[in-house]
């Protein structure tokens, strides 16, 4: 493995997106938001304890021959680089100092590299604002991912207000994500129309409180947007995400370039 000067350069960065089933990494061109070379995907270890995940990330970076700075996403609230929730990941993450964990396990020849760890939806939302449709960095934009849970990123003129966790808004009498996530649609075998009605009610609540001009929807189900976006009645422009499953990795790479430490 050779440390080339390009590994510290400002317009490329490595992002790693840690999810419930897969850990994905790629080198990102930060001028364009495009990947350089192939994305690497490995299965998330089971159980997905912090140590096991960090070892898997170390192996992935080794495969990629990347020794420079790394941005990492986790599906958890990250406060001062400490994971403080674990709704859809191993509970062992709660209280984990991610900077310490990854700093130590991802060190190269005993030297710690620059690391930023942030919430998965926050990373994806930032990437959408930076590289998606140009109008998404104007005013208040709410980015949502519909998957196992509902992830959220709140942006104002492209700047992130981190850890909004709107999937856990108590609605109507339970977490919004327990009623309207994409996983719930599968589990309850809801039609797109039935599910969209639920999403619509949740979005009305988000709009009532936050008044975004635009809502961007991500997650696998955003690829089928034509089946459910027309059903929405909410008073905001709702558009599908442009970067799709690239967004988490790209946002992580942006975060480490900008030395973000939420
Ligand atoms: C978690 C969020 C995460 C979202 C999407 C929710 O259950 O609480 O932190 O962003 O799932 O993965």
């Amino acid at each position: 493995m050779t440390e080339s000067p390009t590994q510290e350069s400002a317009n490329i960065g490595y992002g790693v997106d840690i999810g419930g089933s897969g850990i994905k990494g790629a080198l990102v061109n930060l001028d364009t938001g495009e990947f350089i070379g192939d994305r690497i995907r490995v299965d998330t270890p089971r159980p997905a304890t912090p140590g096991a995940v960090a070892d898997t990330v170390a192996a992935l970076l080794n495969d990629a021959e990347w020794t420079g700075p790394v941005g990492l996403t986790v599906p958890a609230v990250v406060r001062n680089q400490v994971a403080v929730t674990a709704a859809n990941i191993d509970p062992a993450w709660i209280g984990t100092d991610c900077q310490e964990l990854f700093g130590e396990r991802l060190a190269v020849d005993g030297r710690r590299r620059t690391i930023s760890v942030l919430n998965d939806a926050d990373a994806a939302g930032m990437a959408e604002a930076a590289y998606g449709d140009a109008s998404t960095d104007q005013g208040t934009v709410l980015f949502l991912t519909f998957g196992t849970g509902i992830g959220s990123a709140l942006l104002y003129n492209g700047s992130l207000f981190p850890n909004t966790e709107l999937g856990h808004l108590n609605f109507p009498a339970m977490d919004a994500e327990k009623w309207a996530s994409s996983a719930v649609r599968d589990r309850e075998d809801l039609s797109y129309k039935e599910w969209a009605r639920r999403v619509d009610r949740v979005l009305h609540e988000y709009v009532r409180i936050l008044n975004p001009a635009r809502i961007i929807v991500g997650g696998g189900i955003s690829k089928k947007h034509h089946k459910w976006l027309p059903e929405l009645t909410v008073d905001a422009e709702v558009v599908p995400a442009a970067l799709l499953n690239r967004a988490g990795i790209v946002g992580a790479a942006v975060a480490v370039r900008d030395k973000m430490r939420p």
Side-chain angles (χ1 to χ4, degrees), residues 3 18 22 56 69 80 89 113 166 174 212 221 231 235 261:
E3 172 95 29
I18 299 170
T56 307
N80 292 329
I89 50 166
R113 51 173 122 204
L166 293 182
M174 60 174 96
I221 200 148
E231 305 290 334
D235 183 20
R261 301 269 156 68

Side-chain angles (χ1 to χ4, degrees), residues 38-62:
D38 290 335
R39 184 187 83 141
I40 302 179
R41 183 198 181 281
V42 289
D43 285 344
T44 305
R46 296 207 183 276
T49 55
V53 167
D55 286 343
T56 307
V57 173
L60 183 152
L61 293 175
N62 201 41

